[in-house]
Amino acid sequence: MKKYQIIYADPPWNFGNRMYSSNKNDHHREITRAYPVLKTLDICKLSIKDITDNNAVCFMWTVDAFIPEAIEVMNAWGFKYKTVAFIWQKKEKSGKQVCYMGQWTMKNCELVLLGTKGKMTQYLKSRKVRQLQEASRERKLHSKKPQIIRDKIVEMFGDLPRIELFARQKTEGWDCIGNEINGKDIKQQLEEMING
């Protein structure tokens, strides 16, 4: 079975009542219609350890309200949290900053946390990749992440075996699994990978 050294994940966090918006529409209901969300415990229980190499790095999308949960998931998957790898400063195509819901402040950034297992520094190709990445968001799909983050991951670690979890679409050079790719839930797709 193939083992991956780069895990890139955008978990479908269940925001529940953590999501506040000045918009009178129920934004959480809109998100859960866009794709099914999972409880943190269910994300933790996924068989990620079974597809991960002894030396691996995990890049995980989260928002500031979910940093503790993201670190909990990383630990459950066998990774130790190290740092915030990327901060995606969202902009409209016009260049205007995107500001959307938040309980305390209006948010305009998403985070990508980095965790490792084993000795991944031996595979690091570049220490010059910037943490802050500005990229326009696309309104076509809710939560679609910018390609620049995948590109920066490859710039950092080179052409190592890599997989995108909870993927919205197939991406060249990456193995991708997610319910929007083939209609199967991620747990089922992981079991098929592991059992061949």
Side-chain angles (χ1 to χ4, degrees), residues 19 40 46 84 89 97 104 108 126 134 151 156 192:
M19 201 173 279
T40 302
L46 294 172
V84 174
Q89 185 175 14
Q97 279 192 347
W104 303 102
N108 67 324
S126 175
E134 292 184 8
D151 296 342
M156 285 177 71
E192 289 174 1

Side-chain angles (χ1 to χ4, degrees), residues 4-189:
Y4 295 96
Q5 289 184 276
I6 298 173
I7 305 291
Y8 175 55
D10 183 16
W13 303 112
N14 187 353
F15 284 84
N17 64 359
R18 294 190 210 187
M19 201 173 279
Y20 293 86
S21 175
S22 58
N23 187 339
K24 295 195 188 268
N25 297 330
D26 184 343
H27 193 72
H28 177 65
R29 220 176 343 213
E30 177 185 325
I31 288 169
T32 56
R33 275 196 307 263
Y35 58 81
V37 296
L38 292 172
K39 292 179 181 173
T40 302
L41 182 60
D42 293 328
I43 299 169
C44 286
K45 289 180 179 178
L46 294 172
S47 305
I48 305 307
K49 286 182 179 179
D50 294 336
I51 64 166
T52 305
D53 193 78
N54 293 332
N55 298 306
V57 62
C58 178
F59 292 89
M60 184 178 294
W61 283 99
T62 192
V63 294
D64 56 359
F66 269 82
I67 291 172
E69 287 86 347
I71 293 171
E72 180 184 347
V73 170
M74 276 191 174
N75 290 335
W77 290 358
F79 294 92
K80 182 177 179 187
Y81 168 75
K82 298 293 185 177
T83 191
V84 174
F86 302 109
I87 301 167
W88 174 29
Q89 185 175 14
K90 294 182 180 184
K91 297 207 170 193
E92 301 287 356
K93 290 192 189 264
S94 67
K96 179 182 171 189
Q97 279 192 347
V98 173
C99 288
Y100 61 104
M101 72 215 93
Q103 184 172 7
W104 303 102
T105 57
M106 298 301 285
K107 310 301 182 189
N108 67 324
C109 295
E110 287 188 47
L111 307 173
V112 180
L113 305 185
L114 183 149
T116 63
K117 65 181 272 194
K119 298 178 180 176
M120 278 307 288
T121 53
Q122 66 184 316
Y123 298 100
L124 193 59
K125 303 281 186 205
S126 175
R127 295 180 191 270
K128 295 183 179 184
V129 174
R130 304 269 179 193
Q131 185 183 54
L132 183 63
Q133 299 294 325
E134 292 184 8
S136 295
R137 72 174 178 160
E138 292 186 34
R139 290 187 170 269
K140 294 176 186 169
L141 290 172
H142 175 76
S143 191
K144 183 175 181 185
K145 303 304 190 260
Q147 178 61 36
I148 192 169
I149 301 299
R150 290 180 199 90
D151 296 342
K152 294 298 178 182
I153 291 169
V154 173
E155 183 179 335
M156 285 177 71
F157 285 99
D159 191 22
L160 296 176
R162 54 193 180 271
I163 188 167
E164 182 173 347
L165 307 175
F166 309 102
R168 311 293 305 276
Q169 71 217 11
K170 290 184 179 182
T171 301
E172 186 176 339
W174 292 77
D175 290 346
C176 299
I177 59 173
N179 66 343
E180 293 181 51
I181 292 177
N182 65 10
K184 298 177 184 176
D185 77 13
I186 193 160
K187 185 177 178 183
Q188 182 181 0
Q189 291 176 65

